[in-house]
Amino acid sequence: MVERTSAERHVHPRTVRFADVDSQGHVNNVRFLDYLEDARFAMLSIDPVREGGEPFKGMVVTRHEVDYRRPLGFRAEPVRVETWVTELRTVRFTLEYEILDEAGVYVTAKSVIAAYDVERAAPRRLSENELLYLKRYQA
């Protein structure tokens, strides 16, 4: 059974590619970071633009935490990467993820993301629009 929070979750379908699978026949642990990155990019860059807004810019990952729950093998149908916000501060936020399908959860993970001013090479505050967007997914 998949535990749900009251937050809206961002859902990103992710195809399991042949290149993701290692010699043991399952998705290699490091490849799951690609799945998280694809989902995060869709959530913070692609979807805001689709909705008529601006993509998040200058975001850096300061921490990843990944728990592998069960092996995921090569398959034709995509898995879902569900993402939501669990902590929201003025300069950083925490995303939690589940990589799952109807059969169960393969991976749970967390990423701490910091807003960053590339030109100044320094942290920055999240904009009001960024905060509003993230609150939609806050648990």
Side-chain angles (χ1 to χ4, degrees):
M1 176 181 283
V2 177
E3 187 177 315
R4 297 285 182 197
T5 67
S6 60
E8 179 180 346
R9 289 184 175 201
H10 180 271
V11 178
H12 178 72
R14 177 57 158 76
T15 301
V16 176
R17 300 172 308 178
F18 179 74
D20 298 340
V21 179
D22 63 18
S23 61
Q24 296 179 36
H26 61 264
V27 174
N28 185 274
N29 65 319
V30 74
R31 292 294 190 170
F32 281 116
L33 292 174
D34 292 337
Y35 289 38
L36 304 180
E37 179 183 42
D38 289 349
R40 192 171 55 253
F41 184 75
M43 180 181 182
L44 302 178
S45 295
I46 296 171
D47 290 355
V49 172
R50 283 185 183 150
E51 296 173 7
E54 293 290 321
F56 283 53
K57 293 181 181 171
M59 297 290 148
V60 295
V61 175
T62 63
R63 179 180 171 82
H64 279 307
E65 184 178 315
V66 182
D67 291 307
Y68 304 98
R69 302 291 182 196
R70 52 189 271 205
L72 173 61
F74 182 71
R75 56 197 254 168
E77 59 282 340
V79 290
R80 293 188 320 274
V81 183
E82 298 188 5
T83 309
W84 64 100
V85 177
T86 57
E87 182 181 28
L88 184 55
R89 298 191 178 217
T90 57
V91 175
R92 72 171 196 256
F93 56 97
T94 301
L95 297 177
E96 290 200 25
Y97 317 79
E98 287 182 333
I99 299 174
L100 70 159
D101 63 14
E102 294 72 30
V105 177
Y106 298 94
V107 168
T108 58
K110 290 183 184 183
S111 297
V112 177
I113 314 294
Y116 190 75
D117 184 325
V118 177
E119 291 176 11
R120 291 187 316 115
R124 67 168 178 84
R125 291 186 178 276
L126 290 161
S127 73
E128 285 301 316
N129 286 339
E130 290 169 336
L131 287 167
L132 283 172
Y133 181 84
L134 291 170
K135 284 179 182 177
R136 179 165 115 193
Y137 295 104
Q138 190 172 17

